[in-house]
Structures are given as C-alpha cells and as structure tokens.
Amino acid sequence: MMDSALRVFTKLAVNNALANLRLAQAVASLSQADFEAPRTGFFPSLKATLNHILIIDWFYIDAIRGGTLGPQAWADETPFGDAASLYVAQRKSDLQLFAFCQGLAPHDLAAPVHLHRQSRIQTERLDDVLSHLFQHQTHHRGQAHAMLSGTPTAPPQLDEFITADDAKFRSEELSAFGWDETALGF
C-alpha cells in the first residue's frame, strides 16, 4: 500500500493531468480569435493564462528535479501561440510531474528544493513546493474555466478526479493517458 502522503501527491499529479486534458479539449474547440481574445482574469486571455500555467510548471518541475532553470522559464511568457501545441507541451510537463510524484519515497518529502529566483536562491521543503505547484495550477485553471464561460464552449467539469465515487467520471481521461484505477493504486 502506498504511503498516505505520497498517495496524496500522486493523486494530485493525476488530477492535474486529467483536469488539463479536459480544459485543453474544451479550448481546442475555440477559434484562434477566441483563444487570444481579451478576457477578465489575472492574465488577459486564455492563451496567456494557459501559457502561464505551463511556464510556471517548467520552473517548479525543473527545481524539484534539481535543475537551475529559474527565471529563464518565463523568458518568453507565451511560448505557444496556439492551443494544440500548448497542450502537447502541457501534457509532457504533466507526465513529468506524475512520474516524479510516483517515484517519491516518504523521506523525499522533507528534502530541500532550491528555487532559483532573480537574485537569490530560495530553499523550501519538497512537500511544500509540490503543494504550492498544485495550488498554482488549480488557481489559474479556475480562471481559464471562468474565461471559457464567455466563449461558445461550455467550461468542462474539472473537480471529479480525486474521490473513489467519481471514478466513473474519469475513466475516459485516465485511458487517454494509458492509466486505470487499478494500475494507479487508487
């Protein structure tokens, strides 16, 4: 049986990947004009918001893996101009995060992570960095979800990936990654 703390982070990594898939599927139905259109949110469009999620993922995933990418992650704030190529990169990032979380041992959670900032190196515990990363993703996906309300595409359901009772709602998304409940140990 998987350690409880590790199970939480693995489930959050799965949740992240599945929510990003549903969001990407909804955004894929938009025109390029709707993808780029000005909208109310922390970032001014779906394009900017979804690119922000990805580049910050790059920053944190690099750091938790011992890298030094730092602010270079956002040197280009919108590296992807279209929804399809953006999702290809997001999926790759999501799979890296899942693999990282799946490979954790209990003692890893207290390990120091060095976050290379502009003029300093911030050191935090791994479990705190992972918690922050998942919160960041959820926060900005929520903004993208709200932005979709102003488009011809209905926002997708993004919150049925954690509990056992919701398994029937996530099977299609799990299979898109080649995953199933048994293999994940959930």
Side-chain angles (χ1 to χ4, degrees), residues 106-113 124-127:
H107 67 273
D108 294 330
L109 296 176
V113 174
E124 301 286 349
R125 287 174 50 115
L126 174 62
D127 52 358

Side-chain angles (χ1 to χ4, degrees), residues 48 89 94 97 134 137 143 153 159 174:
D94 293 344
L97 182 57
F134 290 122
Q137 294 163 336
Q143 292 175 337
T153 299
D159 66 346
L174 283 172

Side-chain angles (χ1 to χ4, degrees), residues 62-113:
D62 176 75
I64 64 175
R65 295 167 73 189
T68 60
L69 178 64
Q72 292 174 4
W74 54 83
D76 180 352
E77 292 182 356
T78 52
F80 297 96
D82 64 280
S85 61
L86 175 58
Y87 180 66
V88 168
Q90 183 64 63
R91 183 180 176 105
K92 180 180 176 184
S93 180
D94 293 344
L95 289 170
Q96 289 172 347
L97 182 57
F98 169 74
F100 179 85
C101 290
Q102 196 174 42
L104 289 172
H107 67 273
D108 294 330
L109 296 176
V113 174

Side-chain angles (χ1 to χ4, degrees), residues 2-3 19 21-22 39 41 63 83 86 88 105-106 120 153 161 164 172:
M2 187 184 301
D3 177 90
L21 172 61
R22 278 196 185 168
R39 305 205 182 274
L86 175 58
V88 168
R120 65 188 176 95
T153 299
F161 300 120
E172 185 177 321

Side-chain angles (χ1 to χ4, degrees), residues 15-16 19-20 23-24 27 39-57 60 74 86 90 131-149 155-156 158:
N15 173 74
N16 178 64
N20 283 336
L23 190 57
V27 171
R39 305 205 182 274
T40 301
F42 195 82
F43 294 93
S45 67
L46 282 160
K47 176 183 170 182
T49 301
L50 296 176
N51 269 282
H52 174 75
I53 292 169
L54 177 61
I55 63 176
I56 300 305
D57 283 3
Y60 284 112
W74 54 83
L86 175 58
Q90 183 64 63
S131 295
H132 176 76
L133 174 56
F134 290 122
Q135 175 62 27
H136 179 266
Q137 294 163 336
T138 301
H139 169 70
H140 288 295
R141 266 196 310 268
Q143 292 175 337
H145 187 271
M147 288 179 185
L148 275 170
S149 297
L158 296 180

Side-chain angles (χ1 to χ4, degrees), residues 106-126:
H107 67 273
D108 294 330
L109 296 176
V113 174
H114 305 291
L115 303 165
H116 291 252
R117 300 290 185 178
Q118 295 288 85
S119 60
R120 65 188 176 95
I121 297 176
Q122 174 186 349
T123 302
E124 301 286 349
R125 287 174 50 115
L126 174 62

